[in-house]
Amino acid sequence: MAADDLFKALADGTRRTILDELAEKSGQTLFEICSRLSMKHGLGISRQAVSQHLAVLEAAGLVETRREGRYKFHDLNVAPLRHITERWLDPPAPAPEKDPS
């Protein structure tokens, strides 16, 4: 997973809203996500558009999918976010400098 994919995925407001919804209730189907975006957020976007947003989020590692029968469930994966925050908020301690003498 490249950091560029992660930042690209997070750059879009609709994708951030989808992540908010999955953070609130993980394991949603495409139908559930579309319904929540429409009813809760007033977003009138097509199922195809939501599916494309989910594909970008999945490519960035932020969403994982699983199939159960004919249903596909979408789950939030926060591991890529942890990786990014640890990169700057909790960097490894620098190695001690060697004494030149």
Side-chain angles (χ1 to χ4, degrees), residues 57-78:
L57 292 168
E58 189 172 4
L62 292 166
V63 170
E64 295 178 341
T65 59
R66 58 189 161 82
R67 285 205 174 270
E68 291 181 19
R70 54 185 220 145
Y71 296 101
K72 184 177 181 182
F73 296 93
H74 302 83
D75 297 293
L76 177 64
N77 177 22
V78 296

Side-chain angles (χ1 to χ4, degrees), residues 26-91:
S26 201
Q28 294 185 58
T29 63
L30 176 61
F31 176 78
E32 289 175 296
I33 294 167
C34 290
S35 296
R36 290 171 71 103
L37 292 176
S38 175
M39 293 174 18
K40 233 174 122 178
H41 302 280
L43 296 176
I45 59 177
S46 69
R47 287 173 55 106
Q48 182 179 0
V50 174
S51 184
Q52 290 172 343
H53 283 301
L54 286 166
V56 172
L57 292 168
E58 189 172 4
L62 292 166
V63 170
E64 295 178 341
T65 59
R66 58 189 161 82
R67 285 205 174 270
E68 291 181 19
R70 54 185 220 145
Y71 296 101
K72 184 177 181 182
F73 296 93
H74 302 83
D75 297 293
L76 177 64
N77 177 22
V78 296
L81 296 173
R82 282 197 185 105
H83 176 72
I84 291 296
T85 57
E86 289 169 359
R87 179 176 173 178
W88 289 294
L89 298 179
D90 191 21

Side-chain angles (χ1 to χ4, degrees), residues 17-32:
T17 302
I18 291 169
L19 292 175
D20 289 340
E21 286 303 316
L22 291 175
E24 188 175 307
K25 180 181 181 270
S26 201
Q28 294 185 58
T29 63
L30 176 61
F31 176 78
E32 289 175 296

